[in-house]
Amino acid sequence: MDIALLEVLVEHHNNGDHAQNGWKYHVYSAVIGNVREKCNVTITKENISSRCKTFEKHYEAISKMLSQSGFGWDWINNKLSIDSEDVWIKYVAANKKVGFYKNKVIKNWDAITTIYSKDHANGEGAVTGAETVVEPTMEPNEASP
């Protein structure tokens, strides 16, 4: 069900339908329809919101770990990779609430990061190489004494 839900959210996120305070109304309708069609399950806007809060919680905790030295993402097993037990013990000592992530499988990490990453490229503000070329100005050179 998460795959059906996330594929619609990623599509609408890429279309700019993900506002800072949530999804536009038509996105919920699209998700409900896609989940019904692909999984034969009826869900509600509240179900979607609840699942999104879970995804966001995972994103915040895991991305914080990934920004630290000693952590990586295991794309094959869909979980954190940790350089050493010492790295893990030190991190959990300072962040007790994340202890369960050591062996937790988080599927669809690529979709979750697309939706929740603050610096994900969306094309806005992009310019081509030709647009960045600056024409030289013909200002007189001031001779130094």
Side-chain angles (χ1 to χ4, degrees):
M1 183 176 87
D2 282 347
I3 293 172
L5 187 149
L6 285 167
E7 71 184 15
V8 174
L9 294 181
V10 167
E11 177 187 344
H12 284 275
H13 172 79
N14 290 338
N15 290 338
D17 294 333
H18 190 194
Q20 196 171 22
N21 60 347
W23 296 97
K24 295 181 180 176
Y25 182 78
H26 68 277
V27 176
Y28 291 106
S29 298
V31 170
I32 290 167
N34 197 49
V35 170
R36 185 181 312 119
E37 177 186 321
K38 293 190 174 173
C39 305
N40 200 26
V41 175
T42 301
I43 61 172
T44 65
K45 179 183 175 193
E46 290 73 28
N47 298 132
I48 297 165
S49 295
S50 175
R51 197 68 187 124
C52 285
K53 285 178 187 174
T54 300
F55 294 144
E56 187 170 19
K57 180 185 88 168
H58 291 326
Y59 175 78
E60 295 297 330
I62 292 171
S63 62
K64 184 177 176 187
M65 284 183 253
L66 292 174
S67 72
Q68 304 295 311
S69 178
F71 292 93
W73 187 254
D74 179 346
W75 290 99
I76 295 168
N77 296 307
N78 299 307
K79 63 181 196 162
L80 283 170
S81 62
I82 306 160
D83 287 351
S84 69
E85 189 64 23
D86 188 48
V87 167
W88 181 250
I89 290 169
K90 287 178 181 176
Y91 190 83
V92 172
N95 303 277
K96 300 197 184 322
K97 292 182 179 181
V98 300
F100 70 96
Y101 281 109
K102 183 176 184 180
N103 297 306
K104 178 127 178 102
V105 172
I106 306 289
K107 294 189 178 185
N108 309 302
W109 182 245
D110 53 343
I112 293 169
T113 58
T114 296
I115 295 167
Y116 294 101
S117 175
K118 307 286 187 270
D119 62 350
H120 185 75
N122 62 10
E124 190 172 313
V127 293
T128 66
E131 292 171 324
T132 61
V133 172
V134 177
E135 294 295 325
T137 57
M138 300 304 282
E139 293 182 21
N141 255 350
E142 292 185 25
S144 44

